[in-house]
Amino acid sequence: INLVGCDDSNTTGPDFSDAAGSTTYQSGCKSEAADADPNQECIELSYNNEGTLVLRHINSGLNCCPDHFNSEITIEDGRITVNEQGLGAGCKCECLFDLEYTLVNVPVDEYEIEFIGFKSGMNISMSVNLNTQTYVMHCVDRDEYPWG
């Protein structure tokens, strides 16, 4: 006998309790000869349909000489937020970095992805539906220091 039915054990959406993320790459301060357009800031996303989501923040504007980077990743209520910070005394300059994050056990769903940088009002975000989008590149033009 096959029984088909539904229950209300998952009425709040996907289970994010096992999702976790970490920084898997960070470039040094990029020179003007770098590959990406220095007048753009981008999010590159790839998803393997098995729960692994790779997010790459291209041309993240951060302090040019932090002791190290600390990125806090939160996943809840359809939002993935990456709060990037350079820690330490730093210098009186900014430059562009590429940072990559790998998140595991991410359920297939629709998400708003946001990177929060150290410059107020200079966040970058995008919406993605992992049911239909396994690769996305989203860029915004920037014309203030350290971009452009």
Side-chain angles (χ1 to χ4, degrees), residues 14 45 47-50 53 106-111 127-136:
L45 169 150
Y47 186 69
N48 71 357
N49 286 319
E50 296 176 4
L53 176 67
V106 177
V108 173
D109 200 7
E110 295 179 23
Y111 295 94
S127 297
V128 64
N129 182 342
L130 296 180
N131 291 294
T132 58
Q133 298 171 290
T134 57
Y135 177 83
V136 178

Side-chain angles (χ1 to χ4, degrees), residues 1-129:
I1 297 174
N2 291 328
L3 298 175
V4 177
C6 59
D7 63 33
D8 60 0
S9 63
N10 191 14
T11 59
T12 59
D15 179 10
F16 302 109
S17 61
D18 290 332
S22 62
T23 304
T24 51
Y25 172 79
Q26 78 181 40
S27 73
C29 181
K30 295 167 68 174
S31 70
E32 291 182 19
D35 296 336
D37 181 345
N39 297 314
Q40 289 189 324
E41 180 180 12
C42 302
I43 300 172
E44 182 179 34
L45 169 150
S46 61
Y47 186 69
N48 71 357
N49 286 319
E50 296 176 4
T52 301
L53 176 67
V54 177
L55 297 173
R56 189 169 174 226
H57 189 184
I58 300 166
N59 289 343
S60 176
L62 297 165
N63 188 281
C64 61
C65 50
D67 291 339
H68 65 280
F69 290 109
N70 182 40
S71 299
E72 179 184 358
I73 302 169
T74 56
I75 306 170
E76 62 183 2
D77 299 329
R79 291 189 62 81
I80 298 173
T81 305
V82 182
N83 189 348
E84 297 174 330
Q85 299 176 17
L87 299 179
C91 300
K92 293 184 179 183
C93 58
E94 301 168 9
C95 71
L96 304 177
F97 293 87
D98 291 345
L99 299 147
E100 183 177 280
Y101 307 92
T102 300
L103 289 73
V104 296
N105 300 318
V106 177
V108 173
D109 200 7
E110 295 179 23
Y111 295 94
E112 178 71 19
I113 298 171
E114 181 175 31
F115 284 85
I116 301 171
F118 76 104
K119 292 187 92 145
S120 178
M122 297 298 286
N123 300 344
I124 182 171
S125 63
M126 71 176 192
S127 297
V128 64
N129 182 342

